[in-house]
């Protein structure tokens, strides 16, 4: 959250860019398996527990974590080593339940709802693709494979896809939309390649710390070569310094 820094500060673009860089680097230090387990256990022991629908969608996030692999052995999972999750949703519910369990890679939201497109801007890891229709129980059933293929094509154009990357598709059981009953499947990817070594050298364990040292300056933050697609979203309060079109 950036409030006074952007609303009143003289350098709103620098403030936002700096926070984006801090977040990008911090995400490299996340232990996704431990995070998933914590979220799942916390919800499991709540009064309402976890529904069958949520459990299915949580499994999509778990699969994304399982299929992420440190191919280059540098101790971090970067943008080319994560699994993409494609979700067909109208209300955004299915995508939100996937994001809730914090997958390692982007959650590509295929939707026919403009409101859902807008709300992805504040959802963890979500990026939207608008389509004309997902179909429905009372109308013609849109082929979910075609919609997922559109999502994969979009991800390829954005540079989110690399050779052998897994794609986890979330669609409905009896229709394309996954908001009521969900089905998880794999539509792309190769057999996982695992490094044959274990991390025994502490200097290789870069997932325990950020790539940035404690001596932080603006240039280092803004020019750090991080191969990672930021998942955390930034909310800014826009003030007078942000009102000209170029700054916006």
């Amino acid at each position: 959250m950036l409030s006074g820094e952007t609303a009143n500060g003289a350098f709103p673009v620098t403030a936002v860019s700096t926070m984006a860089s801090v977040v990008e680097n911090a995400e490299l230090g996340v232990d996704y398996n431990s995070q998933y387990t914590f979220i799942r256990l916390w919800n499991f022991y709540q009064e309402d527990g976890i529904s069958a629908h949520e459990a299915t969608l949580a499994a999509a996030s778990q699969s994304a974590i399982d299929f992420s692999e440190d191919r280059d052995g540098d101790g971090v999972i970067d943008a080319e080593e994560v699994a993409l999750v494609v979700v067909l949703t109208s209300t955004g519910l299915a995508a939100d339940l996937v994001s809730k369990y914090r997958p390692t890679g982007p959650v590509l939201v295929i939707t026919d709802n403009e409101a859902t497109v807008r709300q992805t801007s504040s959802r963890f890891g979500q990026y939207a693709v608008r389509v004309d229709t997902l179909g429905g129980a009372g109308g013609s059933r849109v082929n979910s494979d075609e919609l997922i293929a559109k999502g994969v094509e979009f991800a390829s154009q954005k540079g989110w896809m690399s050779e052998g990357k897994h794609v986890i598709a979330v669609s409905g059981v009896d229709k394309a939309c996954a908001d009521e009953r969900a089905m998880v499947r794999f539509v792309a990817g190769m057999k996982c390649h695992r490094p044959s070594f274990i991390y025994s050298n502490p200097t290789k364990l870069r997932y325990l710390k950020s790539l940035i040292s404690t001596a932080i300056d603006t240039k280092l933050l803004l020019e750090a070569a991080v191969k990672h697609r930021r998942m955390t979203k930034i909310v800014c309060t826009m003030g007078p310094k942000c009102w000209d079109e170029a700054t916006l």
Side-chain angles (χ1 to χ4, degrees), residues 2 42 90 96 125 136 149 180 221 225:
L2 284 169
W42 176 266
S90 183
D96 286 350
E180 297 176 5
L221 285 169

mmCIF file of all heavy atoms in Angstrom, residues 2 42 90 96 125 136 149 180 221 225:
data_model
loop_
_atom_site.group_PDB
_atom_site.id
_atom_site.type_symbol
_atom_site.label_atom_id
_atom_site.label_comp_id
_atom_site.label_asym_id
_atom_site.label_seq_id
_atom_site.Cartn_x
_atom_site.Cartn_y
_atom_site.Cartn_z
ATOM 1 N N LEU A 2 0.683 2.110 -0.973
ATOM 2 C CA LEU A 2 1.371 3.389 -1.044
ATOM 3 C C LEU A 2 0.327 4.488 -0.933
ATOM 4 O O LEU A 2 -0.572 4.585 -1.763
ATOM 5 C CB LEU A 2 2.135 3.528 -2.359
ATOM 6 C CG LEU A 2 3.447 2.732 -2.480
ATOM 7 C CD1 LEU A 2 3.935 2.753 -3.913
ATOM 8 C CD2 LEU A 2 4.500 3.298 -1.551
ATOM 9 N N TRP A 42 -4.934 -23.741 8.420
ATOM 10 C CA TRP A 42 -5.683 -22.667 9.070
ATOM 11 C C TRP A 42 -7.161 -22.746 8.676
ATOM 12 O O TRP A 42 -8.053 -22.641 9.515
ATOM 13 C CB TRP A 42 -5.092 -21.317 8.700
ATOM 14 C CG TRP A 42 -5.859 -20.156 9.261
ATOM 15 C CD1 TRP A 42 -6.850 -19.446 8.640
ATOM 16 C CD2 TRP A 42 -5.723 -19.591 10.561
ATOM 17 N NE1 TRP A 42 -7.331 -18.463 9.469
ATOM 18 C CE2 TRP A 42 -6.661 -18.533 10.653
ATOM 19 C CE3 TRP A 42 -4.907 -19.861 11.650
ATOM 20 C CZ2 TRP A 42 -6.800 -17.753 11.794
ATOM 21 C CZ3 TRP A 42 -5.039 -19.077 12.786
ATOM 22 C CH2 TRP A 42 -5.976 -18.044 12.853
ATOM 23 N N SER A 90 -16.649 -16.838 -14.237
ATOM 24 C CA SER A 90 -17.487 -15.691 -14.554
ATOM 25 C C SER A 90 -17.481 -14.677 -13.416
ATOM 26 O O SER A 90 -17.231 -13.493 -13.618
ATOM 27 C CB SER A 90 -18.923 -16.139 -14.845
ATOM 28 O OG SER A 90 -19.728 -15.043 -15.214
ATOM 29 N N ASP A 96 -10.285 -16.742 -7.374
ATOM 30 C CA ASP A 96 -9.939 -16.262 -6.033
ATOM 31 C C ASP A 96 -9.540 -17.417 -5.118
ATOM 32 O O ASP A 96 -8.625 -17.281 -4.297
ATOM 33 C CB ASP A 96 -11.118 -15.509 -5.418
ATOM 34 C CG ASP A 96 -11.323 -14.133 -6.039
ATOM 35 O OD1 ASP A 96 -10.436 -13.699 -6.799
ATOM 36 O OD2 ASP A 96 -12.360 -13.510 -5.770
ATOM 37 N N GLY A 125 -1.603 -12.516 -7.998
ATOM 38 C CA GLY A 125 -1.139 -13.300 -9.137
ATOM 39 C C GLY A 125 -2.072 -13.363 -10.323
ATOM 40 O O GLY A 125 -1.771 -14.050 -11.296
ATOM 41 N N GLY A 136 -23.231 -21.408 -20.608
ATOM 42 C CA GLY A 136 -23.971 -21.580 -19.357
ATOM 43 C C GLY A 136 -24.949 -22.713 -19.466
ATOM 44 O O GLY A 136 -25.123 -23.319 -20.531
ATOM 45 N N ALA A 149 -7.077 -22.810 -24.655
ATOM 46 C CA ALA A 149 -6.079 -22.587 -25.710
ATOM 47 C C ALA A 149 -5.857 -21.096 -25.933
ATOM 48 O O ALA A 149 -4.732 -20.653 -26.167
ATOM 49 C CB ALA A 149 -6.529 -23.267 -27.000
ATOM 50 N N GLU A 180 -19.002 -23.106 -9.852
ATOM 51 C CA GLU A 180 -19.887 -23.965 -9.059
ATOM 52 C C GLU A 180 -19.280 -25.338 -8.802
ATOM 53 O O GLU A 180 -19.200 -25.792 -7.660
ATOM 54 C CB GLU A 180 -21.242 -24.101 -9.756
ATOM 55 C CG GLU A 180 -21.990 -22.776 -9.871
ATOM 56 C CD GLU A 180 -23.289 -22.915 -10.640
ATOM 57 O OE1 GLU A 180 -23.645 -24.068 -11.009
ATOM 58 O OE2 GLU A 180 -23.947 -21.896 -10.882
ATOM 59 N N LEU A 221 17.544 -0.944 -6.664
ATOM 60 C CA LEU A 221 16.191 -1.481 -6.672
ATOM 61 C C LEU A 221 15.572 -1.460 -8.068
ATOM 62 O O LEU A 221 14.965 -2.437 -8.509
ATOM 63 C CB LEU A 221 15.301 -0.685 -5.717
ATOM 64 C CG LEU A 221 15.501 -0.942 -4.226
ATOM 65 C CD1 LEU A 221 14.758 0.108 -3.419
ATOM 66 C CD2 LEU A 221 15.018 -2.327 -3.848
ATOM 67 N N ALA A 225 18.227 -7.098 -11.943
ATOM 68 C CA ALA A 225 17.818 -8.030 -13.001
ATOM 69 C C ALA A 225 17.134 -9.244 -12.380
ATOM 70 O O ALA A 225 17.742 -10.286 -12.164
ATOM 71 C CB ALA A 225 19.027 -8.456 -13.824
#
